[in-house]
């Protein structure tokens, strides 16, 4: 037999006795049929959280930023924590898909669409926070490099906050094109299967006239590779620039050259964890248990162990530097003896437990291959990564050079409400997407059916055709 077949000793990536037609039917079912009970439960919980968050946003805009727990010393805390957390989650999605495409990994097929969608929706959430923080969201366009109504008042190009605007908008546009390009063949499949004229028209528009000719596929492959090649270095640049919001300041604990690679590693760590969370949700709400297998979950967990190790080394380096400098100012940075035993000790230890200790359970094969444990550990990692950002901001700003400026940040119900609202908004978008867009790339899954399908592996074993 030809040499491109996978080893029969590898586990199948597609379970069940599937034919090409079955794959089309399974992936189109969530779009064409009715949603299951799990989808409705998840959607209503997410919708309630989103509406609560929107209420807190309207209250903030109507009353003023004073409803947050900020002070003169801590001028940004909860909001910028959430901003960096969401940007970090967003970054990994396109990176996962692009890198696995460049390395031609077959297990990419079941997870890439969710990862790319996660990027788009997470960057939307991140973008909300700087706009709300302005206090006057209607002047949000002031962050763009365009002359405003006061004449030639331009943005400050020396500010890393402006670099964020450029970096994130570039990354969002490339990610959006990469995601949409991958969806074109599937939109055309739904268009050709559609019975209702309105649905047919919508999917005809979305598919951009895809006809399935060899030329279409050739261009599709070329564009996907170019975009994957573009997106990979973009991920590194974007979170590097987010880290410069802190690293270009003179605050002890922020003014650090380790921040750019450290932030990139943390972003990939939290992003993989969020993809793992989403796969756990999506398996149940779209009945894709036969396409998202234990093998996919195990491969994801192996990458989480690797990136978690990089983050742990970065933590150890930061802790060592805070001690080795002997500076009293460095001893109240977010990773130091001062933080460990200080007023924010609870946040420091939350970071250590959720990010360093809990992921170590993934070394155990039973845990690494378990859907439930993987889901719970991925949520723990996301909590830990949120605490990391909170520690960096709240602990460093709470103790400045002047004791008279010391302040302890405590969030208000509005701070908490807006954050929970963005989590709800993210899942509302994701669940609606799972009902209107194909969540697994049909054509790509079909290409691996004869090498990674359970039925074909059995037939090859029975006939000794290796």
């Amino acid at each position: 037999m030809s040499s491109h077949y996978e080893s029969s000793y590898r586990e199948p990536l597609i379970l069940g006795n599937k034919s090409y037609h079955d794959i089309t039917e399974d992936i189109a079912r969530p779009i064409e049929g009715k949603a299951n009970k799990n989808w409705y439960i998840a959607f209503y919980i997410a919708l309630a959280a989103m509406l609560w968050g929107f209420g807190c946003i309207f209250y903030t805009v109507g009353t003023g930023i004073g409803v947050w727990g900020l002070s003169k010393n801590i001028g940004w805390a909860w909001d910028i924590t959430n901003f960096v957390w969401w940007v970090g989650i967003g970054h990994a999605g396109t990176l996962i898909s692009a890198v696995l495409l460049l390395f031609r990994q077959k297990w990419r097929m079941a997870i890439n669409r969710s990862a790319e969608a996660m990027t788009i929706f997470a960057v939307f959430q991140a973008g909300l926070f700087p706009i709300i923080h302005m206090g006057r969201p209607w002047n949000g366009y002031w962050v763009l490099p365009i002359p405003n109504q006061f004449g030639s008042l331009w943005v400050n190009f020396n500010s890393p906050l402006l670099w964020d605007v450029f970096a994130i908008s570039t990354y969002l546009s490339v990610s959006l094109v990469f995601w949409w390009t991958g969806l074109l063949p599937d939109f055309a499949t739904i268009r050709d299967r559609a019975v209702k004229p309105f649905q047919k028209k919508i999917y005809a528009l979305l598919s951009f006239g895809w006809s399935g000719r060899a030329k279409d596929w050739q261009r599709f492959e070329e564009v996907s590779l170019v975009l994957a090649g573009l997106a990979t270095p973009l991920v590194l640049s974007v979170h590097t620039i987010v880290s410069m919001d802190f690293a270009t300041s003179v605050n002890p604990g922020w003014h650090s050259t380790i921040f750019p690679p450290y932030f990139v590693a943390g972003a990939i760590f939290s992003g993989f964890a969020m993809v793992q969370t989403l796969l756990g949700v999506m398996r149940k709400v779209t009945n894709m248990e036969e396409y998202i297998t234990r093998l996919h979950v195990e491969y994801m967990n192996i990458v989480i162990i690797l990136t978690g190790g990089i983050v742990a080394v970065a933590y150890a380096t930061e802790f060592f530097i805070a001690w080795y400098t002997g500076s009293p100012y460095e001893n109240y940075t977010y990773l130091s003896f001062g933080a460990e035993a200080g007023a924010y000790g609870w946040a420091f230890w939350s970071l250590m437990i959720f990010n360093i200790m809990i992921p170590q359970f993934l070394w155990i094969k039973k845990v690494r291959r378990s859907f439930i444990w993987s889901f719970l550990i991925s949520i723990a990692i996301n909590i830990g990564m949120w605490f990391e950002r909170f520690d960096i901001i709240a602990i460093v700003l709470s103790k400045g050079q002047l004791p008279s400026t010391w302040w302890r940040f405590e969030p208000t119900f509005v701070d908490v409400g807006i954050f929970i609202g963005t989590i709800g908004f993210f899942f509302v978008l994701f669940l609606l997407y799972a009902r209107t867009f194909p969540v697994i790339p049909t054509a790509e899954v079909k290409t691996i059916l004869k090498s990674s399908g359970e039925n074909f592996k059995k037939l090859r074993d029975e006939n000794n055709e290796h």
Side-chain angles (χ1 to χ4, degrees):
M1 294 299 287
S2 63
S3 60
H4 72 269
Y5 282 132
E6 252 182 21
S7 160
S8 55
Y9 296 108
R10 286 189 181 171
E11 284 182 61
L13 290 168
I14 302 165
L15 303 178
N17 190 8
K18 298 291 179 192
S19 65
Y20 289 126
H21 178 66
D22 293 335
I23 291 173
T24 308
E25 288 290 324
D26 289 346
I27 294 171
R29 192 177 296 118
I31 303 162
E32 296 169 347
K34 289 185 176 178
N36 63 19
K37 189 174 76 175
N38 293 331
W39 186 89
Y40 280 108
I41 292 168
F43 182 75
Y44 286 130
I45 293 169
L47 186 66
M50 183 185 88
L51 293 174
W52 180 31
F54 279 7
C56 291
I57 289 171
F58 292 138
Y59 178 58
T60 302
V61 173
T63 314
I65 298 297
V67 297
W68 293 356
L70 303 176
S71 68
K72 186 181 75 166
N73 201 37
I74 304 181
W76 54 349
W78 198 270
D79 52 323
I80 206 74
T81 300
N82 299 335
F83 166 75
V84 179
W85 187 74
W86 277 118
V87 169
I89 285 172
H91 282 26
T94 300
L95 180 76
I96 292 165
S97 185
V99 170
L100 294 180
L101 173 65
L102 293 173
F103 284 100
R104 302 293 186 191
Q105 293 296 306
K106 291 179 178 178
W107 62 277
R108 165 186 184 270
M109 310 303 183
I111 64 167
N112 67 324
R113 196 63 63 70
S114 299
E116 291 160 21
M118 177 188 82
T119 288
I120 310 299
F121 303 147
V123 173
F124 282 174
Q125 309 312 319
L128 283 173
F129 287 99
I131 293 170
I132 304 165
H133 190 156
M134 288 175 181
R136 297 173 183 168
W138 48 91
N139 289 335
Y141 65 93
W142 283 13
V143 300
L144 302 172
I146 50 175
N148 59 38
Q149 73 264 39
F150 297 122
S152 57
L153 177 64
W154 285 75
V155 288
N156 178 9
F157 287 97
N158 292 330
S159 169
L161 294 175
L162 181 65
W163 310 342
D164 271 348
V165 173
F166 287 123
I168 291 169
S169 55
T170 306
Y171 178 69
L172 178 62
S173 51
V174 170
S175 298
L176 201 55
V177 174
F178 185 52
W179 178 52
W180 205 269
T181 305
L183 280 162
L184 293 177
D186 291 345
F187 282 149
T189 304
I190 304 295
R191 172 199 69 197
D192 297 340
R193 290 169 56 91
V195 180
K196 297 170 186 170
F198 177 71
Q199 197 180 22
K200 209 173 188 68
K201 275 184 183 172
I202 293 292
Y203 284 103
L205 281 170
L206 295 176
S207 62
F208 289 173
W210 177 277
S211 64
R213 296 172 304 159
K215 195 73 181 167
D216 283 3
W217 282 107
Q218 184 193 341
R219 285 174 179 157
F220 173 79
E221 291 286 334
E222 287 169 359
V223 170
S224 296
L225 272 176
V226 169
L227 288 170
L230 263 177
T232 306
L234 259 182
V235 171
L236 304 178
S237 70
V238 178
H239 221 60
T240 297
I241 287 172
V242 169
S243 78
M244 287 176 183
D245 291 350
F246 308 100
T248 52
S249 74
V250 292
N251 283 342
W254 283 3
H255 192 65
S256 170
T257 51
I258 199 178
F259 265 36
Y262 167 33
F263 267 53
V264 170
I268 299 167
F269 183 47
S270 61
F272 265 91
M274 184 57 100
V275 172
Q276 192 77 289
T277 307
L278 290 177
L279 291 180
V281 173
M282 204 178 71
R283 283 182 80 253
K284 293 299 179 189
V285 300
T286 58
N287 299 325
M288 291 292 170
E289 285 93 346
E290 289 169 325
Y291 298 94
I292 300 167
T293 66
R294 287 189 194 281
L295 197 60
H296 290 101
V297 168
E298 185 175 17
Y299 285 158
M300 291 286 292
N301 282 332
I302 289 168
V303 181
I304 287 172
I305 292 169
L306 173 68
T307 50
I310 298 169
V311 170
V313 170
Y315 288 170
T317 309
E318 289 280 277
F319 202 86
F320 172 77
I321 294 297
W323 166 77
Y324 190 69
T325 54
S327 162
Y329 302 117
E330 285 285 346
N331 196 35
Y332 210 78
T333 57
Y334 64 103
L335 283 172
S336 65
F337 291 106
E340 177 193 335
Y344 289 101
W346 57 274
F348 174 91
W349 287 109
S350 298
L351 159 70
M352 288 299 165
I353 291 165
F354 287 120
N355 272 1
I356 305 296
M357 297 175 193
I358 290 178
Q360 300 311 314
F361 288 108
L362 294 174
W363 290 100
I364 303 164
K365 191 167 185 178
K366 271 190 176 177
V367 175
R368 194 168 65 238
R369 290 176 59 82
S370 159
F371 291 117
I372 299 290
W373 283 112
S374 296
F375 182 71
L376 294 174
I377 290 172
S378 69
I379 290 173
I381 291 168
N382 277 312
I383 293 169
M385 287 308 292
W386 186 89
F387 273 111
E388 181 205 288
R389 278 59 179 255
F390 178 77
D391 287 1
I392 289 173
I393 292 150
I395 294 179
V396 171
L397 290 178
S398 66
K399 288 210 174 180
Q401 268 82 343
L402 286 173
S404 60
T405 63
W406 290 1
W407 180 272
R408 185 174 172 190
F409 171 78
E410 289 180 0
T412 65
F413 77 94
V414 185
D415 284 312
V416 178
I418 294 176
F419 177 51
I420 290 172
T422 56
I423 295 174
F425 190 18
F426 175 80
F427 278 100
V428 163
L429 290 173
F430 192 83
L431 290 163
L432 290 174
Y433 144 80
R435 291 278 294 127
T436 48
F437 289 28
V439 290
I440 287 176
T442 318
E444 290 180 41
V445 169
K446 286 178 181 177
T447 63
I448 63 166
L449 180 64
K450 287 201 173 182
S451 62
S452 289
E454 185 179 37
N455 190 42
F456 285 92
K457 280 185 182 287
K458 277 182 189 169
L459 284 171
R460 283 212 311 278
D461 288 345
E462 286 165 10
N463 301 322
N464 282 324
E465 291 179 352
H466 294 297

